[in-house]
Amino acid sequence: MSLLLLFGSAAPTAIGGSFGGDFPGTVARPEYVYLGLEEFDNQATEAKAPQVAKWRLASAETATGSAGRLRQLLAVSNGVVRVQGVSSWDSFDGPNDITFDPGSKYTWTVYHSQKVYIGDGLTYGVYDPKAGTLLSWESEGAGAIPEKCALSTVYRGRIVLARPTGQPTNWYMSAVDRPNTFDFFPPVITVDQAVFGNNAPAGLCPDIINTMIPHNDDYLIFGCDSSIWRMAGDPMEGGS
């Protein structure tokens, strides 16, 4: 590698020289680039004192035992949650693992707060990829997670559940950024609290809910039996 000293528009002066510093091992490219710079003082007056900058092209540090960025493929097959490993699928089918109804017509999965929430209309579970655990989805604080919901999605930082057994037009939303909080009647009303169709100004969906489609943070679209409906904004903030 040659070092070039650059002074304004003047022709660069080449200083012959070779600089080491390649990555160890089999990475065949320079680790550093050396650049000649022109120095200026605080008054923007040229001070003919060239400097050399040494820039590292790439740098990576990994904690001991870390796998770096991890991507996993999760599937639910015959009621069993399976996670794709390096060479095979790992199944949560032990005696202490949660299993779902293999005959269920609906099995949904949603991702929120670095965890995967799973339901089949009867059983709820939450998979933690960092801990490698599949546990029952439990509520935090007052309020219970609405039961027997066939559909779910994430909208505006809330987990949305819909179509519980016997109420095919109802929907529920967790508190904002708190997927385990479904306290619909807190002592103090806030705009980020949990909310549901029976108690919201927007009310129930006018038709049987078959699917929910979030569009950014602007709209939540309900695909129904014979119609399509749109919720604008957040139901606790008047649709803003």
Side-chain angles (χ1 to χ4, degrees):
M1 180 186 296
S2 295
L3 173 64
L4 300 181
L5 298 180
L6 307 179
F7 293 97
S9 59
T13 302
I15 298 181
S18 215
F19 295 85
D22 286 350
F23 285 105
T26 59
V27 181
R29 67 181 177 85
E31 181 177 3
Y32 298 98
V33 62
Y34 296 82
L35 182 64
L37 301 177
E38 193 175 21
E39 184 183 76
F40 294 89
D41 62 20
N42 292 333
Q43 302 301 318
T45 302
E46 185 175 345
K48 299 288 186 175
Q51 293 182 333
V52 176
K54 177 182 178 183
W55 292 350
R56 195 170 188 181
L57 297 180
S59 176
E61 296 181 1
T62 304
T64 303
S66 172
R69 184 174 183 180
L70 183 63
R71 293 175 178 267
Q72 290 183 316
L73 180 63
L74 182 146
V76 183
S77 174
N78 200 33
V80 176
V81 175
R82 307 175 193 274
V83 179
Q84 189 179 37
V86 176
S87 59
S88 62
W89 288 80
D90 299 322
S91 302
F92 288 91
D93 55 359
N96 297 322
D97 291 325
I98 297 174
T99 56
F100 298 89
D101 181 8
S104 175
K105 296 181 180 179
Y106 305 94
T107 300
W108 51 260
T109 62
V110 295
Y111 182 78
H112 192 298
S113 302
Q114 300 183 351
K115 296 179 182 180
V116 180
Y117 295 80
I118 310 168
D120 63 355
L122 182 64
T123 303
Y124 297 145
V126 55
Y127 171 66
D128 185 340
K130 286 188 175 181
T133 58
L134 177 64
L135 304 174
S136 176
W137 184 17
E138 303 291 343
S139 64
E140 295 178 354
I145 299 172
E147 299 179 344
K148 301 179 180 180
C149 290
L151 303 170
S152 183
T153 190
V154 174
Y155 175 62
R156 298 182 64 91
R158 303 175 181 268
I159 284 189
V160 187
L161 299 171
R163 193 169 173 165
T165 300
Q167 301 182 62
T169 64
N170 208 353
W171 52 269
Y172 308 86
M173 293 186 181
S174 72
V176 176
D177 295 328
R178 289 176 288 164
N180 304 323
T181 302
F182 285 87
D183 185 2
F184 301 114
F185 304 100
V188 178
I189 297 176
T190 60
V191 295
D192 63 348
Q193 72 173 60
V195 60
F196 68 118
N198 293 105
N199 198 40
L204 303 175
C205 187
D207 199 354
I208 295 175
I209 303 172
N210 288 328
T211 188
M212 295 183 293
I213 308 168
H215 178 66
N216 298 323
D217 285 338
D218 298 325
Y219 305 112
L220 178 60
I221 299 170
F222 293 87
C224 303
D225 259 9
S226 58
S227 58
I228 298 176
W229 297 85
R230 183 188 72 184
M231 176 185 290
D234 194 292
M236 282 301 297
E237 294 190 79
S240 65

